[in-house]
Amino acid sequence: MIARAALITVALALALAPAAAGADDICADPIDEPVAVPWRDAGFDGGRGGCLQPDASVDVRGRALIDTPAFYGTLGGDLTVAVRLVEQRRFEWGLAVRAAEVAFIQNAVWKIVEPTYGPLLVHGAFGAEAALAGRPLRVAVVAQAELPYTRSTIASSTGAVQLAAVVTWQARARLRIHARAAALGWYGRAVTGTSTRAAGLASLDASWRARRWLSADLGVDVQGGWYGLGLDHVAARVGAHWRVIGPWRVAIAVGVPLVGAERQDVAASLGVRRDLD
């Protein structure tokens, strides 16, 4: 159902593309882009808007799964370096590598601090211009994949993919609406066997340009299928995108699952980005 909705969205946007000629460039400043808060490992499920943006970034992400009475659970953090490039205004491609990850795990049996690095993620996107209700619209088809055998753990192999349709619409002069429909797939292989997971998700964000240099973002994610049949989570996100000086900007966001089977209690992201155009 979600995949069909994504294809319909893309088809409609491509059909409307000629009507967008001469429309304002709603992608002129990337601080209007929503700030992603990934829930899955390595962040391959991270969201975005429909604008294609060339930039380089360094993101620090954190997550927590806590059993409050005993304070058992997992605390994790990672550092990811990424670059995105745009060709001929319609094609975007990029690389991202998790340069370091540290996980602190504690339960009734053991306490573990586990540093690792990897994986490498690649992505590509094709974008188009359109219009909705007389206002400019951007739509993109995005594919992102985690490459197998790019983690520090050589005794096992993992891979993952996200296929998504994303849209950004300028609802008002200062307000942009971002929507995404996506399918996720993952596998993990070790000496004990192979595991697979899949999920469908949808997200909706509203970005408000509070100041010329500051944009605030409020969003919601709905995902199902990762933990089996049923709802994984309905999660709320709040974030901000701040242009510090020149091509440099800072992005911050935090997300909390409200309902569902999601095992993480909170996830957060803080990043420094530099425009490349």
Side-chain angles (χ1 to χ4, degrees):
M1 182 66 71
I2 291 177
R4 182 181 298 177
L7 291 175
I8 292 174
T9 301
V10 173
L12 288 174
L14 293 175
L16 288 170
D24 296 335
D25 185 4
I26 63 173
C27 302
D29 195 334
I31 68 169
D32 294 311
E33 186 177 44
V35 184
V37 179
W39 292 98
R40 308 280 70 90
D41 181 46
F44 77 93
D45 62 315
R48 55 169 294 160
C51 292
L52 307 184
Q53 303 288 2
D55 61 17
S57 64
V58 177
D59 290 280
V60 177
R61 294 170 179 157
R63 61 191 184 278
L65 188 163
I66 301 173
D67 178 7
T68 305
F71 200 72
Y72 295 156
T74 301
L75 299 176
D78 64 71
L79 176 72
T80 298
V81 180
V83 62
R84 301 187 296 179
L85 299 173
V86 176
E87 308 289 345
Q88 301 178 351
R89 291 176 56 88
R90 288 188 177 271
F91 301 94
E92 178 189 294
W93 64 276
L95 303 171
V97 60
R98 188 164 62 179
E101 181 194 26
V102 177
F104 172 79
I105 305 169
Q106 179 171 340
N107 58 29
V109 179
W110 62 69
K111 181 188 299 183
I112 301 174
V113 178
E114 184 180 7
T116 61
Y117 63 85
L120 175 67
L121 290 90
V122 299
H123 85 270
F126 173 77
E129 304 175 0
L132 178 64
R135 294 183 176 274
L137 180 79
R138 296 293 185 272
V139 63
V141 180
V142 183
Q144 178 161 268
E146 173 192 329
L147 299 184
Y149 302 106
T150 56
R151 294 175 180 258
S152 58
T153 304
I154 60 174
S156 61
S157 169
T158 64
V161 64
Q162 176 188 177
L163 301 175
V166 290
V167 170
T168 291
W169 178 49
Q170 184 175 339
R172 295 289 185 272
R174 294 189 178 189
L175 176 64
R176 284 160 176 77
I177 303 299
H178 313 275
R180 174 176 59 133
L184 307 178
W186 173 90
Y187 86 90
R189 181 178 297 122
V191 293
T192 55
T194 300
S195 299
T196 60
R197 295 190 184 227
L201 68 86
S203 64
L204 186 67
D205 287 79
S207 298
W208 175 259
R209 183 73 74 90
R211 295 288 187 271
R212 181 178 56 84
W213 44 268
L214 178 67
S215 179
D217 179 57
L218 182 65
V220 62
D221 298 323
V222 180
Q223 180 182 293
W226 190 263
Y227 299 114
L229 297 178
L231 179 67
D232 297 330
H233 64 241
V234 176
R237 288 176 288 104
V238 61
H241 221 139
W242 171 33
R243 182 163 297 284
V244 181
I245 184 171
W248 295 93
R249 47 197 167 90
V250 171
I252 184 171
V254 61
V256 177
L258 304 178
V259 296
E262 184 59 54
R263 298 172 184 173
Q264 296 189 68
D265 297 306
V266 64
S269 176
L270 172 63
V272 177
R273 304 175 186 181
R274 189 190 190 283
D275 302 337
L276 295 181
D277 57 357

